[in-house]
Amino acid sequence: MSISQETSRRWQMLAIIVAIGLLIWLLAPVLMPFAIAAMLAYLSDPLADRLERLGLGRTLAVSIVFVLLILLIVAALLLLVPLIARQVENLVQNFPRYVEWSRDTAVPWLQAKLHLDPKAFDTDRLVDQIKEHIGSIGTVIGTISRSGLGVVAWLTNVVLIPVVWFYLLRDWDRLVAWIDRMLPRSVEPTVAHLARESDMVLGAFVRGQLLVMLALAIYYGVALTLVGISVGPLIGMVAGLLSFVPYLGFITGFVAAIIASLVQHGDWMHLLMVVGVFVIGQLLEGYVLVPRLVGEKIGLHPVAVIFAVLAGGYLFGFLGVLLALPAASVILVLLRYLAQRYKQSDLYTEGGEPDSVIAEIDVTVHENEGGDASAHVIGNSDPS
């Protein structure tokens, strides 16, 4: 192949990649149910494949997996929704106590320690502003509800996600084979290799991270309840769900549990028990759950996770946050491949000629009696 043909082929591939990226960018507002359905299909495909290996047909295997997972999700909702409702009701009932504690205890302490302006923490004015704007918020919500657009969109997603999930799961292997056939033959081996490696990383990371989130939610909820925090299950669920961002779940849950402990009990014993719960939780996450369920070799760096979540949310909103970790895992595989290609390229391996302009410099350091050091620089370059 000539150089012009190779250049033309690369430009064509770049144009295809840019067109696909632009299409995803333009359709991002309507892609959320399809992205969720695709993620569910990807996560449940191994179960269907196992049933197929046992002798079942693809449609029957998919139907069994789909029904079982739907029943599992419905059962979880039936258990969690009443629990969350009770926790929210408990939080609303205790809200005046939280306001009173912040006004009489927390705010005076902060003002005394940080020498802040008392008007900056005028809780009465803040509550009045909230009450003033509640009416306008209710009007907006009522208008949206009457128009029916929000309800229709929500119901459409609820119905659309399981339907798309079922058909994607049923045709998952055929879709993968079709994509493989449509790839240019010159890059198909490389793309297939990267796809297999990405599948390994995604399978271990995403499924493992979901198990870590579930385990932390259960642990924090049960432990805080045993400690005596009335809203412990709610704090535990929030801390577990936010744990996919490094330290976000820990910080959010820790601060909320500390405030709840101070408001509800107000003694050092419960405060120390809450601190112990979160210290044990961090040790459990760092030394047991993540190494066993996610794996240290394929885990993303905390800074990379935070950047991926923020960048995904900025570019694609909630869809970007949802797909941030899977996309970051795939990008990690691509970066490893590019690093290997770079180390095999002439740019990295080819040695260069010595630069005659750069002088060879010898630096000699002498230490004086007083402990001070002096350096003597000797240049060996030819001044001409």
Side-chain angles (χ1 to χ4, degrees):
M1 181 182 295
S2 63
I3 298 178
S4 60
Q5 290 177 334
E6 178 69 17
T7 304
S8 175
R9 182 175 65 84
R10 292 183 177 181
W11 277 109
Q12 290 174 358
M13 293 178 60
L14 179 61
I16 293 174
I17 295 173
V18 171
I20 294 175
L22 181 61
L23 185 63
I24 294 175
W25 174 276
L26 295 175
L27 296 179
V30 298
L31 285 180
M32 187 177 68
F34 296 93
I36 295 175
M39 184 179 298
L40 292 172
Y42 171 77
L43 294 175
S44 53
D45 178 66
L47 297 177
D49 291 340
R50 289 186 180 183
L51 292 180
E52 274 193 289
R53 288 194 290 267
L54 295 177
L56 299 180
R58 179 68 183 181
T59 303
L60 179 58
V62 167
S63 300
I64 293 174
V65 171
F66 181 77
V67 171
L68 289 178
L69 292 179
I70 288 292
L71 291 177
L72 183 62
I73 293 174
V74 171
L77 291 177
L78 291 177
L79 292 175
L80 291 177
V81 169
L83 176 61
I84 295 175
R86 288 196 299 269
Q87 290 294 301
V88 172
E89 183 180 357
N90 186 12
L91 182 63
V92 172
Q93 291 176 353
N94 291 325
F95 185 74
R97 295 175 57 188
Y98 288 94
V99 175
E100 181 181 357
W101 174 81
S102 63
R103 182 180 61 242
D104 300 337
T105 304
V107 172
W109 184 84
L110 288 174
Q111 290 174 351
K113 296 296 182 181
L114 302 179
H115 305 287
L116 298 175
D117 184 7
K119 295 182 180 180
F121 290 93
D122 190 353
T123 55
D124 294 332
R125 186 180 63 179
L126 179 61
V127 172
D128 292 338
Q129 291 179 352
I130 293 175
K131 291 180 179 179
E132 180 182 351
H133 290 86
I134 284 178
S136 61
I137 294 173
T139 303
V140 173
I141 293 176
T143 303
I144 295 175
S145 300
R146 285 193 297 271
S147 65
L149 295 178
V151 177
V152 170
W154 184 80
L155 290 177
T156 300
N157 289 337
V158 170
V159 175
L160 188 61
I161 288 174
V163 173
V164 177
W165 176 16
F166 176 81
Y167 283 109
L168 285 179
L169 180 58
R170 189 192 65 177
D171 299 330
W172 189 263
D173 294 337
R174 283 189 286 181
L175 287 173
V176 173
W178 178 81
I179 294 174
D180 182 75
R181 290 195 303 269
M182 295 301 296
L183 290 173
R185 296 299 91 185
S186 58
V187 299
E188 190 274 336
T190 302
V191 173
H193 171 75
L194 293 177
R196 286 191 298 269
E197 190 173 350
S198 300
D199 177 66
M200 181 190 68
V201 172
L202 277 176
F205 184 78
V206 176
R207 297 184 184 99
Q209 190 63 43
L210 290 176
L211 292 176
V212 170
M213 292 165 57
L214 178 62
L216 288 176
I218 294 174
Y219 165 75
Y220 284 130
V222 173
L224 291 175
T225 302
L226 294 176
V227 165
I229 306 300
S230 60
V231 291
L234 182 61
I235 295 176
M237 282 185 286
V238 173
L241 290 176
L242 295 179
S243 62
F244 71 94
V245 179
Y247 306 111
L248 179 60
F250 167 76
I251 294 174
T252 304
F254 182 73
V255 172
I258 289 293
I259 295 175
S261 175
L262 291 173
V263 174
Q264 185 176 347
H265 299 284
D267 56 18
W268 285 100
M269 180 61 66
H270 287 86
L271 193 64
L272 291 176
M273 286 192 293
V274 168
V275 173
V277 166
F278 280 90
V279 169
I280 295 175
Q282 281 295 289
L283 295 175
L284 186 66
E285 178 183 3
Y287 293 98
V288 179
L289 295 177
V290 172
R292 290 182 177 272
L293 299 178
V294 178
E296 296 179 350
K297 294 183 178 180
I298 59 174
L300 295 173
H301 193 277
V303 175
V305 174
I306 295 173
F307 176 79
V309 172
L310 292 179
Y314 176 77
L315 294 174
F316 298 102
F318 179 74
L319 177 63
V321 174
L322 186 68
L323 299 179
L325 294 185
S329 301
V330 175
I331 292 174
L332 176 64
V333 173
L334 297 179
L335 290 178
R336 288 173 179 172
Y337 169 74
L338 292 177
Q340 293 176 355
R341 288 292 301 269
Y342 165 69
K343 290 184 177 180
Q344 295 174 359
S345 64
D346 294 338
L347 179 63
Y348 180 81
T349 58
E350 185 176 358
E353 296 292 335
D355 194 336
S356 58
V357 177
I358 300 177
E360 296 181 3
I361 299 177
D362 295 330
V363 180
T364 305
V365 179
H366 301 281
E367 186 174 349
N368 302 326
E369 294 181 357
D372 299 330
S374 60
H376 298 281
V377 180
I378 303 174
N380 296 331
S381 60
D382 186 0
S384 61

